[in-house]
Amino acid sequence: LGASGDLAKKKTFPALFGLFLHGHIAPTTRIIGYARTKMDRPDFLKRISQHIKNTTTPKVKTMLDQFLDQCTYVSGVYDQDSGFQALEKELQRVEKEAKTADRLFYMALPPSVFIPVANGLKKNCYTLKGINRLIVEKPFGMDLESSRTLSKALGALYREDEIYRIDHYLGKEMVKNIMILRFTNQIFGSCWDRDHISNVQITFKEKIGTEGRGGYFDEFGIMRDVMQNHLFQILSLIAMESPASLNAEDIRNAKVDVLRQIPPVVESEVLLGQYGKSEDGSLPSYLDDETVPKGSKTATFAAAAFHINNPRWEGVPFVLKCGKALDQQKVEIRIQFKDMGSNLFQKDVAARNELVIRVQPEEAVYLKMTQKLPGLGMETVMSELDLSYASRFTNLSVPDAYENLILDAIMGEQSNFVRSDELDEAWRIFTPVLHKIDRGQVPVEVYPYGSRGPKQLADFVGRFGFERHLQAYSWPETSQAAVASASSAAASADSKL
């Protein structure tokens, strides 16, 4: 559903083809696009294939042709039975051809039509001969009340085990790696608590602004668009207790348990910003976007502190930061450990240890530590234990998040999807301050396009224990040339074995 939209052509269909290319979607599977746009099948196939990459080799070209043979299109509206009845006819036709009756409905749609579409599908396209599953894209409401209204409406139509609320960050490789890192390594498991950790920083940065999409963004703002869902999913995985098992419900129970111990975020622990023109005036402000309402106070940057009232995390602030039009593009988790208790070395010599998980780009795990600088003296230098995926796993590719999650939905694996009570708890934590923001009761500071964010940011994170060491330091960057060189060297070494 929504097969003519940006999400479908840029994410959903490339992910479906990726799964097909690697044998995770069977030749008997049929993929039906449904949208209001009037177009014939050749136009539809051209539209959905334009963002599928790396199709130059004969094998991939052949596979793409086979994949497109499995795709058809039905045009129809979202609020009338006639369109869904036409879809049902096409479903019955392809099911007879493919000899299968399981149906997975993917709503790549704006939230305003979730309920009409869910109703139309249940009334006209719900099969009694096989499995029904419904994937719902975010945003799941605007606040606690609207989220509960949406959950109640969907719950009246579909069982909870049929609903897959997708947050694509749960499909990202390094987010999925958090549980492995935590619960299989003794060195981390033994120090993952308030006695050893000073603070946790979870950061989302985009270099671009709204780029003409401000009309949609302005309705939600950065806190609803990124923090309440993507970053809070990461927080719950970092902070949760070990689940009873790898069963989906046990994992989601552990996430809900930790969210229940977080009080609502307070206004005094929130920092908001909106990007203005760049310092040289060459890049536009948020308000220069013609799709943004005149004089909008919507935040394009937000930082907020969260506290978990349980024995493991009492007194450890979790600071979440997200913003557009910033100095770099990255998503990372930075766990800063406490200072060493010994006074043998001064703080300006021995920096705090930090575990950094780079979610994107250039997936990596770093453990920052202090070392002796080689030489005759006792000078120190900040260094790192470095696991950069591009140089370490040269013969493996990192799958797209949507590939991971669509495959999970096909297989009926729900651990990486958001359960209704988890959604409820997240909205409970955010709703009071969101309502204050909507009423203009939280100040919004203008920051330059291309900067690190509002000028108060350094003081803000400092309030919650974060310390930036005085020694100059930059994370090692893995260039594409270095990756290509490493891959070539690995291939050469393999050929000699």
Side-chain angles (χ1 to χ4, degrees):
L1 294 307
S4 63
D6 273 3
L7 177 63
K9 69 182 181 182
K10 292 179 180 177
K11 294 294 184 181
T12 314
F13 280 99
L16 287 167
F17 175 65
L19 292 173
F20 178 78
L21 184 63
H22 294 100
H24 297 298
I25 289 181
T28 54
T29 300
R30 297 292 180 266
I31 300 166
I32 304 170
Y34 182 90
R36 290 178 292 216
T37 305
K38 299 283 187 182
M39 58 180 158
D40 57 22
R41 186 165 180 266
D43 288 339
F44 170 65
L45 298 183
K46 181 179 179 181
R47 181 186 289 252
I48 66 174
S49 59
Q50 63 182 306
H51 288 277
I52 295 176
K53 301 175 182 177
N54 303 321
T55 59
T56 55
T57 66
K59 178 185 176 182
V60 177
K61 281 184 177 179
T62 300
M63 293 291 285
L64 179 58
D65 289 339
Q66 293 173 4
F67 172 75
L68 294 177
D69 283 343
Q70 297 178 219
C71 300
T72 60
Y73 181 75
V74 174
S75 175
V77 296
Y78 297 130
D79 57 356
Q80 295 177 19
D81 287 342
S82 57
F84 294 106
Q85 289 164 0
L87 176 59
E88 175 62 18
K89 287 181 181 178
E90 179 66 4
L91 283 163
Q92 291 184 15
R93 185 189 71 80
V94 300
E95 285 175 349
K96 185 176 180 181
E97 177 186 292
K99 297 181 174 59
T100 182
D102 296 331
R103 300 179 179 184
L104 175 62
F105 301 106
Y106 191 136
M107 297 207 298
L109 296 164
S112 58
V113 296
F114 281 172
I115 301 308
V117 170
N119 269 305
L121 291 173
K122 182 62 183 288
K123 182 178 179 181
N124 300 285
C125 304
Y126 189 91
T127 184
L128 299 177
K129 298 178 181 178
I131 293 169
N132 296 274
R133 292 183 183 137
L134 184 75
I135 297 180
V136 185
E137 276 281 353
K138 78 169 187 72
F140 313 116
M142 293 284 288
D143 55 15
L144 182 58
E145 182 180 359
S146 59
S147 173
R148 284 177 173 174
T149 299
L150 178 59
S151 291
K152 185 177 180 180
L154 288 177
L157 298 168
Y158 300 90
R159 302 191 309 269
E160 181 64 27
D161 65 337
E162 293 178 324
I163 300 171
Y164 290 70
R165 299 172 190 84
I166 193 169
D167 184 324
H168 73 273
Y169 264 64
L170 287 173
K172 289 188 176 292
E173 184 69 21
M174 298 309 293
V175 176
K176 295 182 74 172
N177 190 37
I178 291 172
M179 284 183 58
I180 304 290
L181 197 68
R182 283 194 60 189
F183 300 123
T184 64
N185 294 291
Q186 177 67 17
I187 56 171
F188 297 129
S190 60
C191 63
W192 211 264
D193 56 35
R194 64 193 297 269
D195 295 329
H196 299 88
I197 293 174
S198 167
N199 60 87
V200 178
Q201 310 275 321
I202 304 174
T203 304
F204 171 102
K205 285 187 172 187
E206 282 188 324
K207 290 186 74 171
I208 62 171
T210 51
E211 309 287 319
R213 295 173 287 106
Y216 169 81
F217 177 84
D218 199 80
E219 184 181 352
F220 299 97
I222 195 70
M223 190 171 272
R224 286 186 175 96
D225 192 45
V226 175
M227 188 181 290
Q228 186 272 343
N229 39 72
H230 300 331
L231 301 193
F232 233 57
Q233 289 296 326
I234 294 174
L235 180 151
S236 65
L237 290 168
I238 290 287
M240 73 182 190
E241 297 298 319
S242 176
S245 75
L246 292 178
N247 176 275
E249 294 313 303
D250 286 335
I251 292 172
R252 298 199 292 183
N253 286 342
K255 291 168 68 182
V256 172
D257 285 345
V258 76
L259 293 181
R260 285 175 176 157
Q261 297 171 85
I262 302 176
V265 62
V266 295
E267 176 189 346
S268 61
E269 296 187 343
V270 171
L271 174 65
L272 300 180
Q274 183 188 95
Y275 69 87
K277 290 182 181 293
S278 58
E279 291 183 345
D280 63 4
S282 63
L283 296 171
S285 71
Y286 176 69
L287 296 178
D288 289 334
D289 186 331
E290 293 182 355
T291 64
V292 171
K294 300 297 181 184
S296 171
K297 297 295 184 183
T298 296
T300 61
F301 176 95
F306 300 86
H307 308 274
I308 303 172
N309 296 329
N310 66 15
R312 180 184 293 275
W313 296 113
E314 192 83 46
V316 179
F318 284 69
V319 179
L320 276 51
K321 299 168 286 180
C322 50
K324 292 181 175 292
L326 297 175
D327 59 331
Q328 57 181 298
Q329 183 95 8
K330 72 174 182 180
V331 179
E332 73 176 21
I333 305 153
R334 185 181 296 259
I335 298 168
Q336 189 171 74
F337 292 88
K338 291 186 173 181
D339 295 318
M340 287 290 290
S342 169
N343 291 321
L344 188 61
F345 292 93
Q346 299 299 315
K347 286 181 64 175
D348 61 343
V349 174
R352 285 179 169 179
N353 297 137
E354 290 181 353
L355 176 66
V356 180
I357 302 170
R358 178 68 66 89
V359 177
Q360 67 180 40
E362 300 174 348
E363 295 88 349
V365 180
Y366 303 101
L367 182 62
K368 194 173 82 172
M369 57 200 303
T370 302
Q371 304 274 15
K372 178 185 176 295
L373 186 68
L376 298 176
M378 287 291 284
E379 294 179 75
T380 63
V381 64
M382 281 190 288
S383 185
E384 73 288 321
L385 297 176
D386 171 16
L387 169 59
S388 294
Y389 273 44
S391 57
R392 178 64 181 85
F393 302 112
T394 55
N395 297 320
L396 297 173
S397 61
V398 176
D400 179 77
Y402 279 93
E403 286 184 43
N404 273 320
L405 294 176
I406 291 173
L407 181 59
D408 280 349
I410 291 171
M411 302 301 293
E413 169 56 58
Q414 287 197 310
S415 59
N416 292 313
F417 293 86
V418 182
R419 203 169 62 188
S420 60
D421 55 346
E422 180 182 351
L423 185 62
D424 208 59
E425 289 298 326
W427 278 122
R428 173 190 61 79
I429 295 164
F430 278 87
T431 292
V433 79
L434 284 172
H435 285 174
K436 288 187 175 182
I437 292 171
D438 293 342
R439 293 192 295 265
Q441 295 174 332
V442 182
V444 180
E445 177 185 329
V446 176
Y447 61 94
Y449 196 125
S451 66
R452 293 177 62 89
K455 61 184 179 181
Q456 300 174 29
L457 180 60
D459 290 339
F460 181 85
V461 296
R463 281 172 55 195
F464 302 102
F466 179 74
E467 291 187 5
R468 189 175 298 278
H469 198 258
L470 297 178
Q471 284 187 13
Y473 182 83
S474 60
W475 296 110
E477 297 291 338
T478 304
S479 68
Q480 290 302 312
V483 174
S485 175
S487 298
S488 176
S492 176
D494 288 343
S495 67
K496 294 175 183 178
L497 291 176

